[in-house]
Amino acid sequence: MKTQQLLNYARDQWIAGSGTLADIHSAIDGSLVTRTGSGGLDFGAMLDHARTVGGPALRKMTFHERARMLKGLGLAIMERKEELYALNPLTGATRKDGWIDIEGGAMTLLSFSSKGRRELPDAHVLLDGELEQLSKGGSFVGQHIYTPLQGAAVHINAFNFPVWGMLEKLAPTLLAGVPAIVKPATSTAYLCEAAFRVMIDTGLLPDGAVQLIVGGVGDLFDHLTGQDVVSFTGSASTAAKLRNHPTLLRESVRFVAEQDSLNASLLGPDAAPGTPEFDLFVKEVVNEMTVKAGQKCTAIRRAMAPAQHLDAVEAAIRDRLATMTVGDPREDGSRVGALVSCSQREDVRGQIKKLVAAGARVVAGEPDKDIGIEGGAFMTPTLLRADDPWGASAVHDVEAFGPVSTIMPYRDMADAIALANRGMGSLALSLFTYSADAAREFIQGAAAFHGRMLVLNRDNAKESTGHGSPLPVLVHGGPGRAGGSEEMGGIRGVKHYMQRTAIQSTPTMIAAISEQYIPGGPKCFLDAHPFRKRMSELNIGDTLKTKSRTVTIEDIEHFAHFTGDTFYAHMDEEAAKASPIFEGRVAHGYLILSFAAGLFVDPDPGPVLANTGLENLRFLTPLYPGDSMRVELTVRSKSLKSEETGVVRWAVEIFNQKDELVATYDLLTENVP
C-alpha cells in the first residue's frame, strides 16, 4: 500500500510539497497510508498556466475532439480500475461502494463524451436557441451563443467519492473547453491522485488542461478572476467561507456549491405494509444507510411514513439492518465498511447526541460501541425515531454524515409536504407510491425544495438506479441548504463553464462566427448529390437545390383518400375559403413533406444510411393547387455518433414558385463518417 508522499501535479510536473506534511491514515485500522502537502507551490503561477497554456489548447479543439478525449480518459480508468480498487478499502469502502466511485466515475466521462458527440456540433461555438429576426428585411439578426470561459475551474472535492467526485466535475469542464485545478479532500487524496495519474499517463490531455493540489490551497483564491469558476462539494460552513472570499465577491467569480443536504424519503399514503412499495421503501432506506457507510451527500436522512404505519416501518428497517454485517471492507462478507476516519466517526456520534437531545430516540444500532478492527472507524448503522418531527426540529437541521437515518410520522399529504420542505432544500428526495394522485400532489407541493425527485414503485423498481445515485444526464444539486447550484445535468452542466453572449449581425457573419449554417447564411450549391458523400466530405453550408414539382388538385385528393386525412381545408373549397387562414383548398402539410423527400432523396445505397428524425417543423405559407414547390437541402451541422456512424443535420427549406418559404424543418440522417 502507499507509504510514499503524495505528489502535486503543477504546470505539467509532479512536485512534492515541502514543509509540514499531513498524515493520512487507513479507515480499517488507523495505520499510516501516506503523507501529503502542497507547501512551496506557486498557486498564482498554476492559475496562469491553466489560463495561458491549458485554456488555449483546449479551445483549439472542437466539442467533438474534446468529447473523444473524455472517452479515452474513461476507458483508461476502466482498463486500470483494479489499481484503484486495491486502494479503495483503505477509505473504508467495500468493493460495491468502490464500484459507484471508480466505475461510476469512468461511466460519467463516457456519458459526457457520448452526449457531446451526439448533441454538440463539431465546432468551437454552441448556438443557444433560434435565430432572432431583428429587422423586416432579414439582414439584421440576433443569435445567442456559448463560448468557453477563458479562465480556470477550481474543483474542491469531498472525501466520500475521491474518483467520481473528481470526474463528475472534470467531464463537463473539459468538454466545455476549460482547464481545471483539482483539490481533493485530504483524507482520501491518495485514491484521487491514483486516478489522476491514470489520466495523465494516457497522454490525451493537452499541457495545462489539468493540475492537482494534494494539500491546502494557500493563496489560490487571491488570484481568481471573473473568468474563473469555483466548483465546491462539502459542508455548508466551508461553502459559506469560500463563497464570501473577498476576491470572489470583488471579481464576481462563479461559485457552484453542492453542500449539506437532509434528504428525505416518503412512504406514500397508499403504501401499507404488504404492498410492494412498502417493501421497496424499507429496502431503500437501509441501502442508503449502509452504502458507503452512509457517507453520501444524497443519503436518506429523514424517512417519513403515515403515522399508522410507523411502527411497522421501524420493525421492518430494524430487521433488515440486523442482516447487514459491519466489517473489514476487504472481506466479501462485509456489507458495511468503515467511516473514512475515527474523527469522522466521532463527529457522527456527536450529531446523533444532538438529535437525541432534541427528542429523537435510537431504535436500532449502538452508535457509541467500538466494533470491528482495533483502530478502525467502524460503526453500527443507527436508526432513530422522532414521534414529534415538528417538536424535534433538529431532525431537519442536523446531519449525521454516516450510517444514520431518522424515521418520523406524517398526518396527511399536506403535513408530508411541509415536513419534506422543512429541510430547506435537498439534493434528492424519493417517494414510494402507486398512486398517481398522491405523486402529483406531493411533487407539485415539494419540487421547489428538491433538486432531484424519484417516484419509485413496483413498475420501475427493477430498472431504477435508486434514491441516491446521481446520473450524468440529470441535474445534481439542489436549492437552499443544498447549495443552490447545479452539477452535471448533461449539456446543461457544460454551460456552467461557458459564457452566453448575444451576437447581432448579418446571417452570413453569424454563420461564420458559429461555424454552423443558420437561415439566411451563405450556401454552396452542389452539382453532385450530397447523399453520395461521406459525412467527412460534406461542408457546412453545402446545399442541394432541387427541381420544382407542381401540386395538383388530383394530388391532394389522392393523398386525402389514400391516407384517410380528409380534413375540410383539403377537401371543401367553400369551407376552406371561409377560414380566416386559407384562400381555398390547400395541400396537406404531410403531402408537402412527402413530395419534398421525393425531390431531394437520392435512392441508391450510399453513405446516407437512414433518416433518423425530423425536428423544428414549421408550415409558413399555404400551398394551393397549381402551386409548385422546390427544396433547398443544406448541411447545418455534423456529429460523430460512433466510429462507424455519424449524424448530419440538414436544414430543409421548401419554397413555392414565388420563392416564398412554405415550410422549414431539420432532417437528421445517419451517415457513414
Side-chain angles (χ1 to χ4, degrees):
M1 294 303 178
K2 282 185 173 291
T3 54
Q4 74 272 23
Q5 178 181 341
L6 294 183
L7 300 181
N8 303 276
Y9 191 73
R11 290 182 282 173
D12 306 313
Q13 296 182 20
W14 290 101
I15 301 173
S18 59
T20 303
L21 301 178
D23 292 342
I24 304 178
H25 298 277
S26 166
I28 299 173
D29 57 14
S31 60
L32 180 67
V33 175
T34 188
R35 294 184 174 89
T36 185
S38 58
L41 292 183
D42 187 334
F43 297 105
M46 290 178 68
L47 280 169
D48 183 67
H49 186 69
R51 297 182 191 121
T52 60
V53 178
L58 287 169
R59 292 194 297 275
K60 283 183 181 179
M61 303 166 71
T62 66
F63 288 109
H64 286 198
E65 289 170 335
R66 296 193 291 262
R68 288 193 288 272
M69 177 183 70
L70 292 183
K71 180 179 180 180
L73 298 178
L75 292 176
I77 295 288
M78 293 298 291
E79 289 169 3
R80 295 175 60 180
K81 64 184 180 182
E82 293 304 324
E83 298 174 33
L84 307 179
Y85 276 121
L87 296 173
N88 177 65
L90 299 175
T91 71
T94 65
R95 187 173 179 101
K96 178 183 177 182
D97 298 335
W99 182 89
I100 302 169
D101 186 31
I102 297 166
E103 297 187 48
M107 286 186 283
T108 298
L109 289 175
L110 297 176
S111 176
F112 271 94
S113 172
S114 178
K115 287 190 76 67
R117 286 175 287 140
R118 289 197 319 268
E119 300 179 27
L120 298 177
D122 192 13
H124 300 85
V125 172
L126 176 62
L127 299 180
D128 181 55
E130 297 299 316
L131 194 70
E132 298 287 348
Q133 295 291 335
L134 303 178
S135 67
K136 185 176 181 180
S139 64
F140 186 51
V141 295
Q143 175 70 59
H144 287 98
I145 66 170
Y146 278 100
T147 55
L149 291 172
Q150 296 188 17
V154 176
H155 294 168
I156 301 177
N157 300 323
F159 68 80
N160 50 345
F161 289 99
V163 180
W164 176 86
M166 170 176 64
L167 300 182
E168 64 98 8
K169 290 184 175 68
L170 275 179
T173 303
L174 294 176
L175 185 55
V178 175
I181 297 175
V182 178
K183 173 20 183 126
T186 299
S187 57
T188 54
Y190 51 89
L191 186 49
C192 175
E193 188 235 40
F196 192 94
R197 283 182 178 274
V198 171
M199 294 190 293
I200 296 300
D201 289 346
T202 66
L204 295 172
L205 289 158
D207 286 350
V210 294
Q211 299 178 78
L212 178 70
I213 301 172
V214 292
V217 296
D219 64 352
L220 179 70
F221 275 49
D222 294 340
H223 302 281
L224 294 174
T225 72
Q227 285 291 306
D228 300 316
V229 182
V230 175
S231 185
F232 168 83
T233 300
S235 70
S237 59
T238 303
K241 180 180 179 182
L242 296 178
R243 194 191 299 268
N244 288 291
H245 189 283
T247 302
L248 268 67
L249 298 175
R250 184 183 68 248
E251 301 291 332
S252 298
V253 178
R254 299 187 189 190
F255 189 85
V256 180
E258 188 262 280
Q259 59 190 45
D260 299 352
S261 176
L262 274 80
N263 310 291
S265 186
L266 188 94
L267 182 68
D270 59 304
T275 64
E277 287 70 37
F278 181 92
D279 295 337
L280 290 168
F281 174 77
V282 170
K283 179 181 178 181
E284 197 68 10
V285 171
V286 172
N287 186 62
E288 290 297 309
M289 290 177 66
T290 54
V291 170
K292 272 281 184 177
Q295 298 169 113
K296 294 171 59 183
C297 57
T298 54
I300 297 170
R301 304 300 177 196
R302 302 175 299 145
M304 303 165 184
Q308 66 270 28
H309 300 323
L310 195 62
D311 289 341
V313 166
E314 177 189 327
I317 293 177
R318 187 172 58 242
D319 290 346
R320 194 173 184 90
L321 284 174
T323 68
M324 309 300 288
T325 303
V326 181
D328 190 333
R330 296 168 295 191
E331 301 294 333
D332 291 339
S334 297
R335 302 288 298 278
V336 187
L339 278 74
V340 71
S341 65
C342 290
S343 62
Q344 177 64 23
R345 181 184 61 186
E346 292 310 305
D347 180 76
V348 172
R349 287 172 171 172
Q351 300 298 74
I352 291 174
K353 287 180 171 60
K354 292 179 183 178
L355 294 172
V356 171
R361 54 192 171 91
V362 175
V363 294
E366 299 177 275
D368 292 327
K369 182 179 180 180
D370 290 341
I371 60 173
I373 301 170
E374 184 178 355
F378 299 92
M379 177 180 170
T380 59
T382 301
L383 181 69
L384 293 94
R385 173 168 172 163
D387 289 295
D388 180 10
W390 291 108
S393 61
V395 298
H396 309 293
D397 298 319
V398 174
E399 181 181 21
F401 200 73
V404 181
S405 188
T406 303
I407 59 172
M408 61 194 72
Y410 67 84
R411 298 184 302 274
D412 51 29
M413 188 58 77
D415 190 43
I417 292 170
L419 283 172
N421 295 349
R422 174 60 181 80
M424 301 307 294
S426 78
L427 299 169
L429 179 144
S430 52
L431 169 65
F432 292 76
T433 182
Y434 206 59
S435 167
D437 290 339
R440 179 177 60 253
E441 182 179 356
F442 183 82
I443 297 296
Q444 290 182 1
F449 286 80
H450 308 278
R452 176 170 54 84
M453 303 181 82
L454 165 68
V455 181
L456 199 67
N457 56 40
R458 67 196 76 175
D459 292 341
N460 62 2
K462 288 184 178 180
E463 294 186 332
S464 169
T465 53
H467 166 98
S469 299
L471 298 172
V473 298
L474 299 179
V475 167
H476 179 54
R481 187 200 300 272
S485 300
E486 299 176 356
E487 292 182 337
M488 298 197 297
I491 300 305
R492 180 184 177 99
V494 176
K495 295 175 181 177
H496 293 323
Y497 299 92
M498 307 184 81
Q499 177 61 44
R500 186 173 187 252
T501 304
I503 306 298
Q504 299 167 271
S505 190
T506 65
T508 298
M509 283 294 185
I510 293 178
I513 291 166
S514 65
E515 305 167 312
Q516 296 161 74
Y517 173 77
I518 62 169
K523 297 177 179 178
C524 177
F525 291 100
L526 304 175
D527 295 325
H529 200 292
F531 280 18
R532 311 312 307 162
K533 295 186 177 184
R534 300 169 70 97
M535 189 176 79
S536 58
E537 298 171 329
L538 292 170
N539 298 310
I540 304 301
D542 281 355
T543 302
L544 171 70
K545 185 175 181 178
T546 74
K547 62 183 181 181
S548 295
R549 171 172 182 165
T550 300
V551 178
T552 67
I553 192 69
E554 290 78 16
D555 291 330
I556 295 171
E557 291 182 347
H558 175 74
F559 189 87
H561 293 302
F562 184 72
T563 62
D565 181 359
T566 56
F567 187 64
Y568 79 88
H570 313 306
M571 305 300 291
D572 188 327
E573 183 72 20
E574 293 305 315
K577 283 184 177 179
S579 164
I581 301 175
F582 306 119
E583 298 174 4
R585 295 170 70 178
V586 296
H588 304 69
Y590 295 117
L591 180 149
I592 294 170
L593 298 183
S594 299
F595 281 6
L599 288 170
F600 68 70
V601 166
D602 183 83
D604 296 328
V608 174
L609 304 174
N611 171 356
T612 59
L614 181 156
E615 297 178 352
N616 306 318
L617 173 63
R618 296 290 184 273
F619 293 112
L620 305 172
T621 303
L623 198 67
Y624 297 99
D627 285 348
S628 64
M629 56 176 283
R630 64 176 178 84
V631 180
E632 292 186 10
L633 179 74
T634 305
V635 178
R636 182 188 286 275
S637 64
K638 304 184 294 182
S639 300
L640 188 64
K641 186 176 180 181
S642 68
E643 301 303 322
E644 294 78 27
T645 62
V647 174
V648 176
R649 180 179 291 269
W650 307 82
V652 182
E653 298 168 300
I654 303 171
F655 297 89
N656 64 15
Q657 70 278 7
K658 300 176 184 178
D659 285 335
E660 297 170 327
L661 270 174
V662 172
T664 63
Y665 60 94
D666 286 354
L667 171 72
L668 305 178
T669 61
E670 195 156 319
N671 290 52
V672 174

